[in-house]
Amino acid sequence: LSVQLQKNFSDRSWVNAFYSYGQSKDLNSGTSSQASSNFAYNNVRFDVNNPELTWSNYDVRHRYGVAFSWQLKLLRNAPTAVSMFLGGRSGRPYSTTYNYFDANGDAATGNDLVYVPASQSEVIFVGSTGTPVADQNAAWASFDAFISGDPGLDNYRGQIVPRNSSREPGLRTWDMRFAQDIPMPIRPDHRLQVTLDIINLFNLLDSSKGLNYYVSNQNDIPWTLQGSNFGVDPDTGQMRIRWSERPNRFALSQLGSRWQIQFGIRYSFD
């Protein structure tokens, strides 16, 4: 579903606004360049040969934008153009998997979606050597808080999460351009234009805004299992989970989160 409103004015000025809503599902998002890796790294809950239809990596959902360009006549025979684009989109979907651990016994690692424990009684938290951590209650408190902070995990307690059940934060952008024409009296058929582009005005005005958070490869690995028997303790039937609390759920795109200014000169002739 898409809606667009556009108005053109005289003197090369215009305004354009749009909104788009969509849903996209697939069996395999085909993110790799080879058939073997497309098959091997397609995250599944049960049968790698029979993947479920669920949200695609390309499910954008909401997207909107407003753009305008206005030409001012501040100087004779030297128009000045001011342009702006303000836009946004929903966060990309991502999956939560184990770190190269074969949890479902299909002899494939790196594609197993996590089971979300319903309660502390289902798990034993262990260190890298397999020894249970001293304070199980503190480990569960931080683990439970992490799950509660993501509806894509919290809604599937006691279940294996579907592929792409979680979402990154949404993204907003605000860019501007100033373009100044400079007349060439000696050669009227030649034109000189000086431009100034400002990218990520949100971040220029406030360093805490305009930040772009993401999950690498749209695949998060916050915890993993430990030991044989598919990570299940043979005596208690509890999952042996290696978990370390981390300060941030998402990674920060350094370049995508910084304001940038670009100067340009364009010389054109017929």
Side-chain angles (χ1 to χ4, degrees):
L1 172 66
S2 296
V3 177
Q4 183 180 40
L5 300 174
Q6 183 171 337
K7 173 66 175 179
N8 294 320
F9 303 94
S10 59
D11 298 328
R12 296 182 292 177
S13 298
W14 53 267
V15 62
N16 183 16
F18 72 89
Y19 169 77
S20 178
Y21 174 81
Q23 293 186 1
S24 175
K25 293 184 177 183
D26 58 29
L27 301 177
N28 187 322
S29 292
T31 57
S32 182
S33 60
Q34 297 182 357
S36 59
S37 51
N38 270 322
F39 177 79
Y41 298 114
N42 186 36
N43 298 324
V44 295
R45 293 201 291 180
F46 308 113
D47 185 358
V48 70
N49 292 303
N50 187 27
E52 299 172 283
L53 180 67
T54 185
W55 301 116
S56 168
N57 279 34
Y58 310 106
D59 178 48
V60 176
R61 204 63 62 89
H62 300 278
R63 185 186 293 273
Y64 64 88
V66 177
F68 78 83
S69 180
W70 199 266
Q71 189 175 94
L72 307 174
K73 297 181 179 179
L74 302 177
L75 303 174
R76 186 176 181 180
N77 298 324
T80 303
V82 179
S83 305
M84 183 203 75
F85 174 76
L86 176 66
R89 62 164 172 79
S90 299
R92 301 182 307 168
Y94 68 90
S95 300
T96 304
T97 64
Y98 296 114
N99 185 18
Y100 292 96
F101 191 94
D102 182 17
N104 60 7
D106 63 358
T109 60
N111 68 339
D112 293 352
L113 294 157
V114 299
Y115 170 85
V116 183
S119 66
Q120 184 177 350
S121 63
E122 294 188 69
V123 304
I124 300 175
F125 295 99
V126 300
S128 58
T129 61
T131 303
V133 302
D135 194 338
Q136 292 286 316
N137 291 332
W140 170 257
S142 65
F143 184 76
D144 183 59
F146 181 85
I147 293 173
S148 298
D150 178 6
L153 297 176
D154 195 41
N155 293 339
Y156 292 95
R157 288 180 184 264
Q159 305 174 59
I160 300 174
V161 297
R163 177 170 58 94
N164 286 336
S165 65
S166 300
R167 283 194 174 268
E168 299 170 340
L171 178 66
R172 294 188 305 161
T173 57
W174 183 17
D175 306 324
M176 291 194 71
R177 160 173 277 210
F178 300 91
Q180 177 63 59
D181 286 1
I182 300 176
M184 306 286 289
I186 301 177
R187 299 295 303 270
D189 56 337
H190 290 215
R191 294 174 295 280
L192 182 66
Q193 186 181 72
V194 178
T195 60
L196 171 67
D197 296 301
I198 305 176
I199 302 170
N200 198 350
L201 264 168
F202 285 125
N203 189 250
L204 176 62
L205 300 176
D206 186 340
S207 60
S208 66
K209 306 296 183 182
L211 304 181
N212 182 6
Y213 292 100
Y214 71 100
V215 171
S216 180
N217 296 320
Q218 293 174 257
N219 187 67
D220 194 23
I221 310 171
W223 74 85
T224 190
L225 302 179
Q226 194 275 340
S228 57
N229 196 37
F230 309 113
V232 177
D233 188 283
D235 297 324
T236 64
Q238 295 171 300
M239 292 185 298
R240 298 171 57 84
I241 290 180
R242 289 180 57 190
W243 156 257
S244 296
E245 187 174 4
R246 58 189 189 185
N248 300 303
R249 186 182 298 270
F250 304 103
L252 177 67
S253 172
Q254 294 296 328
L255 183 60
S257 301
R258 300 182 184 216
W259 61 269
Q260 304 168 59
I261 293 181
Q262 174 180 276
F263 294 94
I265 297 177
R266 183 173 66 178
Y267 185 81
S268 57
F269 53 90
D270 297 330

